[in-house]
Amino acid sequence: MKPYFFLVLAIFAAASIGYSQTPMWHNQGALVAIHDSATVYVRGDFLNERDGEVDNRSALYVVGDWTNNASNEAFRSRGEGIVHLQGNTPTIGGRSTTRFYDLRLEQDSTARATIDVYVDGFLRLNTQAFFVDTHTVYVYNADLGAVT
């Protein structure tokens, strides 16, 4: 009986080694408040669903993809809040567009958009490529320094 048990345990362990979930922040309808010089650091993807919202008045770092599947533009706050998108080839996508205030692309390589992107304040490309394919990035700040 003992050898059989260890054989089953070894097969299960070997099968589960290849399976791992990507770390992420999964907002399932909550209001996330980032205030008073707070910094939220997500080491993984950010997934917003079920009418979840972010009231960002400070800084949000995402080391992965940004996905908005909620029926809103993700952010409740207007006129403030920085989103730092980092990692290796991050993607902005989802079923709904996101309206950022200050979007900073700080990735290791090329960022992508699989949906239109809206920016009210500043778009910081930081000399990195941002592929949008057939989509559009709208920057609503008339300041000549709004896109760098």
Side-chain angles (χ1 to χ4, degrees):
M1 182 69 175
K2 263 187 174 177
Y4 177 72
F5 173 74
F6 286 115
L7 178 63
V8 170
L9 184 61
I11 291 171
F12 178 73
S16 64
I17 288 174
Y19 176 76
S20 64
Q21 292 181 326
T22 301
M24 71 167 40
W25 178 301
H26 189 180
N27 184 4
Q28 297 183 26
L31 171 61
V32 178
I34 308 170
H35 295 182
D36 301 326
S37 301
T39 299
V40 173
Y41 192 84
V42 179
R43 187 175 293 267
D45 299 338
F46 189 99
L47 175 59
N48 191 47
E49 295 185 310
R50 298 177 58 200
D51 295 328
E53 287 184 299
V54 179
D55 187 8
N56 184 13
R57 299 180 190 181
S58 191
L60 171 61
Y61 289 81
V62 178
V63 184
D65 297 337
W66 178 274
T67 305
N68 184 23
N69 290 335
S71 60
N72 56 42
E73 294 178 325
F75 290 99
R76 174 179 280 191
S77 50
R78 294 285 186 250
E80 56 190 336
I82 302 168
V83 174
H84 301 263
L85 195 58
Q86 302 176 332
N88 191 15
T89 61
T91 299
I92 298 172
R95 289 189 302 268
S96 299
T97 59
T98 299
R99 191 175 199 111
F100 298 94
Y101 174 70
D102 187 339
L103 176 60
R104 298 180 184 189
L105 302 178
E106 301 169 344
Q107 70 280 1
D108 297 330
S109 60
T110 302
R112 293 182 41 224
T114 59
I115 195 167
D116 291 348
V117 177
Y118 296 84
V119 179
D120 286 336
F122 302 92
L123 175 61
R124 308 288 188 218
L125 298 172
N126 297 313
T127 70
Q128 299 296 333
F130 187 27
F131 289 123
V132 296
D133 196 28
T134 60
H135 304 288
T136 304
V137 177
Y138 299 91
V139 179
Y140 292 100
N141 187 347
D143 184 339
L144 293 176
V147 178
T148 58

